[in-house]
Amino acid sequence: MSETKTSAPDSTPAAGDEDLGAAGSQLSTAPAEDAPNLPSLGVIGWARWFWRQLTSMRVALLLLLLLSLGAIPGSLIPQTGIDETKVAEFRKAHETLAPIYDKLGLFNVYSSVWFSAIYILLFVSLIGCIVPRTWQFVGQLRGRPPGAPKRLTRLPAYTTWRTEAEPEQVREAALALLKKRRFRAHLTGDAVAAEKGYLREVGNLAFHIALIVMLIAFAWGQLFKSEGNKLVVEGDGFSNTLTQYDDFKSGSLFTQEDLDPFSFNLKNFTGTYEASGPNKGTPRIYKADLSYSVGADGKDKKTTIKVNEPLEIGDSKVYLVSHGYAPVITIRDGKGNVVYRDAVPLLPLDGNVTSTGAIKVMDGYRNAKGEREQLGFQAFFLPTYVKGNELASQFPALLNPVINLEAYHGDLGVDAGIPQSVYQLNKKNLKGFKDAKGAQVRENLKPGESMKLPNGAGTVTFEKEIKEWAGFQVARQPGSGWALAGSLAAIFGLAASLFIQRRRVWVRAATGSDGVTVVEMAGLGRSESAKVPEELGDLAGILYEQAPGAPDAEDDPAESEASPDPQVVPAEGAEK
């Protein structure tokens, strides 16, 4: 992001520091920003100022913060695109608050005007930041590191020594050493200029580009996503069309044509559980064996879906999300005619698959008087029944299955055109079957047993066959792969921008006034770090071995040869 740099009004750089400023320039790709001359600003000036503010680091961080805060209501308040039922319940329970939420767009946060505005502004801010930085960085890569300042002593890391080697030899040795250490180096005048750490800016740019990729991927996924659920009993199938789903939700730009054409049949469901110990009843294996085909003329293929191991078809993923039992029930009228025979899916209430549901006979039944009626049965199923405890199953497997049926007759209310759940019984227009004592008819049945309805109304049989059902979620989330790639790129880019330092090194070798070569080495980093002096000391030690120190005129040669390598110390005036 662009950064604003200001200096005190009365600060005037010394003449000797002009070349130092040039040497330290362009260590960052942040665009230079001049303070606007407010009295002379016109329309263009204000537009430029607004653009610079929008593409600055502080505004981008503010937009990221606002985007995060704006997503909070979407997590706490029911959303129309996710659960219409909960939204309706919220409106009913909060008659005063709901209209305010409507005006603020809090029931559809992610497609609201204000959230979209923040999203687009952040997108534009990132684009406006990346383009100039990339252009400037390419220019830096095509250029060369700047020449050495006149006064290397003013740099943060500095060292010097005298040597009897020729200046040309020292410069050639320094050039070879720096290139071996993967510096971009070249000779300029009496010095070698080198630079390293370009991956820092590469990482910085990669981080910003990755953010844009993530924003696009998330927006694409929200607009074109779809998610539906379907309960399938063993032996039944599913075709990926809107009418086949039990419930379905999608993004605002999703169309029916976006559905991947496929179908599948549930051949068998297998579930095993821990039989003892502290984890008794915990599922060990959940898997669904399917046969599926892609397209209208696709060949059947076999596969197995497990938890967190979905079936992938095109952009869709089919997940196994739930499981339960579907007892097979046969109902006969008073003459023995079968008016109903089917596997009835029941919904689990707890971890031991204690289940409940409803059985509805809507057509084909006549009572003992020959009159048309509808039958309804409230069902309560226990996979493992223990005598004395009729409220809950003791284990999720079918060890001692029992179904409890409560019988009713009359009008189920399905002909009124009002939608109702297939798992619940509307008893408003129903009458309970009464026994000889006037009590509601209600019995526990084991597989193979039957219940007789009073007054020759018929029988209900709990067949020995008990099927299982599996709940599947078909999710289509386009752009998820790009979002993952963007997230990984953002992590690596941020790591590179934080842990790699852009730095420059200069090596000057010139003949001194006494005819002896004076070697100066200095380093400069984008920010203060112990790495620059350490690296400079390492380079100086290696170069010192190739161009050892020369004895001073007043010193004994033996003492000079025994002197240690040069030490890198903070230069005069440098910050510590």
Side-chain angles (χ1 to χ4, degrees):
M1 292 294 177
S2 59
E3 299 173 355
T4 303
K5 299 180 180 180
T6 58
S7 58
D10 56 348
S11 61
T12 304
D17 293 341
E18 293 178 359
D19 59 334
L20 180 60
S25 65
Q26 296 183 350
L27 275 174
S28 170
T29 54
E33 182 175 336
D34 300 327
N37 186 7
L38 295 180
S40 62
L41 280 180
V43 175
I44 297 178
W46 278 109
R48 291 179 60 189
W49 177 85
F50 176 79
W51 177 254
R52 289 183 177 181
Q53 298 304 311
L54 181 60
T55 57
S56 65
M57 173 73 78
R58 56 183 177 271
V59 172
L61 292 176
L62 178 61
L63 290 173
L64 279 173
L65 176 61
L66 290 177
L67 197 67
S68 302
L69 294 176
I72 294 176
S75 302
L76 301 179
I77 301 173
Q79 300 294 292
T80 54
I82 297 177
D83 196 330
E84 295 280 358
T85 304
K86 288 187 177 180
V87 173
E89 293 175 355
F90 187 92
R91 294 179 188 275
K92 186 177 181 180
H94 303 83
E95 296 180 356
T96 303
L97 201 58
I100 299 176
Y101 282 7
D102 275 324
K103 293 181 180 179
L104 296 177
L106 297 182
F107 289 122
N108 53 347
V109 169
Y110 304 111
S111 58
S112 63
V113 175
W114 57 269
F115 191 86
S116 300
I118 298 173
Y119 203 90
I120 294 173
L121 284 175
L122 179 59
F123 186 83
V124 173
S125 177
L126 290 173
I127 292 291
C129 173
I130 289 174
V131 172
R133 291 187 74 133
T134 303
W135 184 255
Q136 185 175 351
F137 183 59
V138 171
Q140 293 179 16
L141 291 177
R142 296 178 62 184
R144 289 185 170 187
K150 293 181 180 179
R151 298 177 60 185
L152 291 178
T153 56
R154 300 189 65 84
L155 295 182
Y158 173 83
T159 186
T160 182
W161 72 90
R162 293 154 50 87
T163 180
E164 293 180 345
E166 295 296 326
E168 293 80 5
Q169 296 176 350
V170 176
R171 289 194 289 268
E172 290 177 0
L175 182 63
L177 172 62
L178 291 169
K179 286 186 176 181
K180 185 178 180 181
R181 291 297 184 90
R182 298 190 298 276
F183 278 84
R184 292 180 61 207
H186 70 106
L187 287 170
T188 170
D190 60 351
V192 176
E195 188 169 1
K196 191 177 183 181
Y198 287 94
L199 284 179
R200 176 188 179 93
E201 296 303 329
V202 173
N204 200 358
L205 292 173
F207 174 73
H208 288 79
I209 294 174
L211 287 181
I212 292 181
V213 172
M214 292 170 61
L215 288 174
I216 295 175
F218 289 147
W220 187 269
Q222 288 295 320
L223 292 174
F224 292 93
K225 71 175 182 179
S226 65
E227 183 180 293
N229 295 286
K230 178 63 178 179
L231 185 151
V232 183
V233 179
E234 288 177 327
D236 293 344
F238 166 78
S239 180
N240 193 29
T241 59
L242 290 180
T243 56
Q244 289 278 301
Y245 284 99
D246 295 331
D247 61 83
F248 187 85
K249 55 193 176 185
S250 62
S252 56
L253 298 183
F254 173 85
T255 62
Q256 187 171 351
E257 288 72 21
D258 294 326
L259 290 173
D260 294 305
F262 67 88
S263 60
F264 65 82
N265 291 302
L266 176 60
K267 297 299 183 181
N268 183 55
F269 181 88
T270 303
T272 61
Y273 309 89
E274 292 288 348
S276 61
N279 295 323
K280 181 180 178 180
T282 302
R284 296 179 60 186
I285 298 176
Y286 261 5
K287 65 177 184 178
D289 298 322
L290 306 179
S291 65
Y292 72 97
S293 62
V294 180
D297 302 321
K299 296 182 179 180
D300 283 347
K301 302 177 183 179
K302 294 183 179 180
T303 188
T304 298
I305 301 180
K306 299 179 181 179
V307 178
N308 297 326
E309 295 182 19
L311 169 63
E312 297 188 27
I313 303 176
D315 292 332
S316 300
K317 292 184 179 181
V318 183
Y319 294 91
L320 175 62
V321 295
S322 57
H323 156 258
Y325 294 105
V328 178
I329 303 296
T330 301
I331 301 176
R332 295 177 173 85
D333 60 17
K335 296 180 180 181
N337 299 320
V338 176
V339 295
Y340 181 92
R341 179 182 173 86
D342 203 355
V344 183
L346 302 177
L347 297 182
L349 299 176
D350 56 29
N352 286 327
V353 202
T354 304
S355 307
T356 186
I359 304 170
K360 300 179 183 181
V361 181
M362 294 177 283
D363 298 306
Y365 174 76
R366 292 179 180 272
N367 59 23
K369 297 179 181 180
E371 300 172 344
R372 292 182 179 272
E373 267 193 326
Q374 294 177 332
L375 300 179
F377 300 86
Q378 190 72 50
F380 193 72
F381 181 72
L382 285 71
T384 301
Y385 169 75
V386 176
K387 189 174 182 180
N389 187 354
E390 298 182 355
L391 298 178
S393 174
Q394 302 302 302
F395 195 73
L398 295 172
L399 301 183
N400 184 26
V402 168
I403 189 170
N404 180 275
L405 295 178
E406 188 174 313
Y408 296 87
H409 65 99
D411 183 7
L412 294 172
V414 295
D415 299 329
I418 301 175
Q420 59 177 254
S421 173
V422 296
Y423 305 105
Q424 295 179 350
L425 198 63
N426 185 358
K427 302 176 184 178
K428 181 179 180 181
N429 298 316
L430 292 176
K431 297 179 180 180
F433 281 102
K434 306 295 182 179
D435 59 16
K437 297 181 180 180
Q440 172 68 47
V441 172
R442 181 172 181 173
E443 291 187 22
N444 287 341
L445 301 178
K446 292 186 176 182
E449 295 182 346
S450 298
M451 176 178 69
K452 289 185 178 182
L453 299 177
N455 303 321
T459 59
V460 182
T461 303
F462 177 20
E463 303 291 348
K464 293 183 178 181
E465 180 184 13
I466 302 177
K467 294 185 177 182
E468 299 187 51
W469 60 260
F472 297 94
Q473 182 181 84
V474 182
R476 185 178 180 275
Q477 189 72 36
S480 57
W482 285 101
L484 176 61
S487 301
L488 295 177
I491 293 174
F492 287 113
L494 183 60
S497 64
L498 291 176
F499 297 108
I500 297 177
Q501 185 178 21
R502 185 95 172 265
R503 64 260 193 208
R504 290 171 180 165
V505 173
W506 292 273
V507 181
R508 174 176 287 142
T511 303
S513 57
D514 56 355
V516 179
T517 300
V518 178
V519 181
E520 291 182 291
M521 293 186 68
L524 177 65
R526 180 179 173 183
S527 58
E528 290 189 30
S529 172
K531 185 174 182 179
V532 175
E534 291 175 0
E535 187 174 34
L536 186 67
D538 183 35
L539 294 171
I542 298 174
L543 187 60
Y544 187 83
E545 294 177 357
Q546 303 179 39
D552 293 333
E554 65 276 7
D555 293 341
D556 182 68
E559 294 180 359
S560 177
E561 292 177 359
S563 62
D565 293 345
Q567 300 294 316
V568 178
V569 296
E572 177 185 358
E575 295 183 3
K576 297 183 181 179

